[in-house]
Amino acid sequence: QLVAYEVKRMRAEEGNKQKILRHIKELAEKLYKNENPYPAVTMHKVQKPTEGCHLRLHQKPFPRLDEGTVQWIIDQATAKLQTAPPAVKAEKKCMVPSGPPIAAIMERNGNALANSARRLEVVRNCISYVFENKMLEAKKLFPAVLRAMKGRAARHCLTQELNLHVQQNRAVLDHQQFDFIIRMMNCCLQDCTAMDEHGIAAALLPLVTAFCRKLSSGITQFAYSCVQEHV
């Protein structure tokens, strides 16, 4: 219904925060009423007796309950339930027109695509700086790279870029380079979902057995020793 009826209104509201917020509030109320069609039933809370109340004097004995009265109350409640309307709200089916073409909405997503391209560029640049030993530049971009790892495209980009450097025989790293690459890999795997298991995680497998650093003569540490805890 939003797409069909409200596109003009949404465009008119662009730039006016108060109108947008009012619109969002209206939508929120509609959605809430849709999920909660019946008002919540108020429950009577029975207070618990206070500590040490049994030690008090002048306690009134609990009155005897009249069996007939109790049964009459139960019968009345049962009769009410039988005549009550069904709890499920009957669905009203309605036809919603198709509204404006999708292209009109896609134009507005152009910024999102540009942002995505910028993120990938940041990932590529940061990896280049690491391998060129421009650590100060890499440090500046690093927080943005870790944020970008939330997106699958950026994770895929990381595996591609690292693969290119392996092919160029640049897998043996110094300590600082190794630390940067490990942190990227860990962040990438941390944000992976089950859907990425045979894509991004699988693409990282040959890379974690390739990248390494020399700890001392004859002792080499490979990247997998630092990322093998991930599911």
Side-chain angles (χ1 to χ4, degrees):
Q1 283 175 334
L2 273 176
V3 171
Y5 300 126
E6 312 247 349
V7 170
K8 282 182 185 174
R9 180 182 168 182
M10 286 160 89
R11 281 190 182 151
E13 286 174 355
E14 275 177 8
N16 189 329
K17 281 187 181 176
Q18 285 182 326
K19 281 185 179 176
I20 291 169
L21 284 171
R22 199 185 312 134
H23 194 182
I24 290 168
K25 206 172 181 182
E26 285 170 19
L27 281 174
E29 280 172 12
K30 280 183 194 172
L31 289 168
Y32 183 80
K33 280 177 185 170
N34 188 55
E35 295 295 320
N36 305 279
Y38 300 105
V41 181
T42 52
M43 300 294 285
H44 295 289
K45 288 186 179 177
V46 181
Q47 288 186 336
K48 285 185 178 180
T50 55
E51 286 180 26
C53 67
H54 61 284
L55 301 172
R56 283 193 212 134
L57 299 171
H58 313 300
Q59 276 193 335
K60 287 182 183 178
F62 191 80
R64 285 187 67 80
L65 297 177
D66 178 30
E67 195 178 335
T69 310
V70 172
Q71 191 57 50
W72 178 75
I73 293 167
I74 292 169
D75 292 342
Q76 269 199 325
T78 309
K80 266 187 191 173
L81 281 173
Q82 283 169 352
T83 56
V88 180
K89 187 170 72 171
E91 278 188 26
K92 288 180 186 174
K93 291 183 170 63
C94 63
M95 288 294 290
V96 177
S98 59
I102 293 295
I105 296 159
M106 289 299 283
E107 284 169 18
R108 303 175 65 189
N109 293 342
N111 287 342
L113 294 171
N115 281 346
S116 179
R118 269 201 297 275
R119 282 197 198 110
L120 300 188
E121 194 59 35
V122 166
V123 173
R124 289 192 191 99
N125 287 344
C126 187
I127 292 170
S128 296
Y129 289 145
V130 168
F131 283 97
E132 288 163 17
N133 257 322
K134 295 178 180 174
M135 291 307 171
L136 199 62
E137 299 297 322
K139 256 182 197 169
K140 286 177 191 171
L141 294 182
F142 203 64
V145 171
L146 297 189
R147 280 197 302 275
M149 286 299 139
K150 298 274 178 209
R152 185 175 297 166
R155 298 198 289 269
H156 187 61
C157 176
L158 175 78
T159 59
Q160 285 180 319
E161 289 298 306
L162 292 179
N163 193 40
L164 287 174
H165 286 92
V166 168
Q167 288 170 3
Q168 293 165 13
N169 292 328
R170 297 168 80 181
V172 181
L173 311 171
D174 65 28
H175 295 302
Q176 211 173 359
Q177 288 174 321
F178 189 79
D179 182 51
F180 269 93
I181 297 301
I182 290 299
R183 283 169 72 190
M184 284 187 205
M185 285 177 169
N186 269 321
C187 191
C188 176
L189 287 168
Q190 182 182 311
D191 289 315
C192 275
T193 62
M195 290 165 72
D196 298 322
E197 189 176 336
H198 304 295
I200 289 152
L204 275 177
L205 271 177
L207 299 174
V208 297
T209 56
F211 286 108
C212 60
R213 63 173 168 180
K214 300 277 183 198
L215 294 179
S216 63
S217 58
I219 298 175
T220 305
Q221 181 186 15
F222 284 89
Y224 67 80
S225 62
C226 302
V227 300
Q228 59 193 6
E229 298 302 316
H230 293 278
V231 179

